[in-house]
């Protein structure tokens, strides 16, 4: 219908303000910032990018100030893209390599984001059931999500899937597919 077409154009326009990375044929991941790894770029990047990288490291360590910064940025992004439909969506995260790291990094973040913009807190819809090595350490396999369990609670839900760093997009894409197989109505990647 005309109303649906107008809404699609509004959403596409809002998404165009952010970095889009294709993680699969026709599937975009919206990125708030470019990430330049220390290993690949060192300090040969702008001070702004160095600050973002260091803030992300603090976020991954559970720093509440860094968490609040990224929560505010993501909240603004989600509100501009989804407007009134955000209240019917659920935020889920790609978790971390251990249950403890996942809780430290994402549990309060998801609650804060829910309080901030009205998205449902879906932290418990994806669980870490084991320990895995991270791919960036050189010990893990890129895209491995074998330690993540998806709850049947995703069935019929519109999911906003968040990962802290999207490099190849393999983890995000594999998790997105697994959530859809579990019956989610949609999965949008950030």
């Amino acid at each position: 219908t005309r109303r649906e077409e107008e809404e699609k154009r509004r959403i596409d326009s809002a998404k165009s303000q952010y970095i889009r990375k294709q993680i699969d044929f026709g599937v975009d991941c919206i990125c708030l910032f470019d990430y330049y790894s220390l290993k690949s770029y060192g300090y040969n990047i702008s001070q702004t990018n160095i600050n973002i990288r260091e803030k992300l490291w603090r976020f991954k360590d559970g720093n509440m100030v860094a968490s609040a910064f990224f929560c505010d940025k993501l909240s603004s992004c989600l509100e501009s893209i989804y407007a009134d439909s955000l209240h019917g969506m659920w935020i889920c995260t790609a978790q971390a390599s251990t249950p403890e790291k996942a809780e430290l990094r994402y549990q309060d973040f998801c609650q804060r984001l829910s309080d901030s913009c009205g998205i449902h807190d879906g932290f418990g819809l994806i669980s870490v059931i084991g320990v895995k090595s991270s791919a960036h350490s050189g010990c893990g396999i890129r895209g491995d999500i074998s330690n993540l369990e998806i709850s049947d609670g995703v069935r019929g839900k519109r999911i906003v899937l968040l990962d802290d760093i999207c490099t190849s997009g393999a983890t995000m894409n594999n998790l997105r597919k697994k959530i859809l197989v579990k019956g989610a109505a949609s999965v949008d990647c950030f």
Side-chain angles (χ1 to χ4, degrees):
T1 67
R2 184 175 180 183
R3 186 176 189 178
E4 290 170 339
E5 289 173 11
E6 288 174 2
E7 180 63 5
K8 184 179 179 337
R9 278 194 294 275
R10 188 199 63 73
I11 289 172
D12 286 343
S13 175
K15 284 182 177 181
S16 71
Q17 300 172 41
Y18 300 96
I19 303 159
R20 294 170 98 160
K21 179 175 184 168
Q22 193 163 84
I23 60 171
D24 196 6
F25 298 103
V27 177
D28 282 340
C29 178
I30 304 298
C31 302
L32 300 180
F33 302 100
D34 281 320
Y35 177 76
Y36 299 93
S37 72
L38 183 62
K39 182 179 176 182
S40 297
Y41 294 93
Y43 290 93
N44 297 322
I45 56 176
S46 73
Q47 187 60 48
T48 299
N49 287 324
I50 290 170
N51 293 344
I52 293 296
R53 177 173 63 198
E54 290 173 355
K55 199 169 289 206
L56 184 62
W57 292 343
R58 289 192 301 275
F59 167 78
K60 289 167 86 61
D61 288 338
N63 178 282
M64 295 307 276
V65 173
S67 180
F69 170 80
F70 288 113
C71 180
D72 290 346
K73 296 296 184 188
L74 184 58
S75 181
S76 293
C77 173
L78 294 174
E79 287 171 342
S80 73
I81 292 172
Y82 298 110
D84 297 334
S85 66
L86 191 56
H87 299 287
M89 301 180 89
W90 292 74
I91 185 75
C92 293
T93 60
Q95 299 294 16
S97 57
T98 68
E100 296 79 18
K101 286 182 181 179
E103 186 174 316
L104 176 72
R105 193 175 301 166
Y106 291 120
Q107 189 169 32
D108 288 338
F109 181 86
C110 288
Q111 182 61 56
R112 178 180 290 166
L113 190 62
S114 176
D115 293 344
S116 171
C117 66
I119 193 169
H120 294 280
D121 179 354
F123 176 77
L125 295 176
I126 300 174
S127 303
V128 181
I129 55 170
V131 176
K132 75 168 185 127
S133 298
S134 61
H136 73 268
S137 70
C139 301
I141 300 168
R142 192 163 302 285
D144 178 20
I145 58 168
S146 61
N147 72 322
L148 300 180
E149 183 174 82
I150 313 301
S151 163
D152 289 335
V154 301
R155 186 171 312 283
K157 290 182 172 51
R158 296 176 58 213
I159 304 292
V160 171
L161 180 61
L162 174 70
D163 200 353
D164 49 20
I165 298 176
C166 185
T167 49
S168 71
T171 298
M172 180 75 76
N173 196 41
N174 290 344
L175 190 51
R176 178 187 150 275
K177 288 176 180 177
K178 193 171 181 179
I179 293 169
L180 287 169
V181 166
K182 275 288 200 171
S186 65
V187 179
D188 293 348
C189 301
F190 287 80

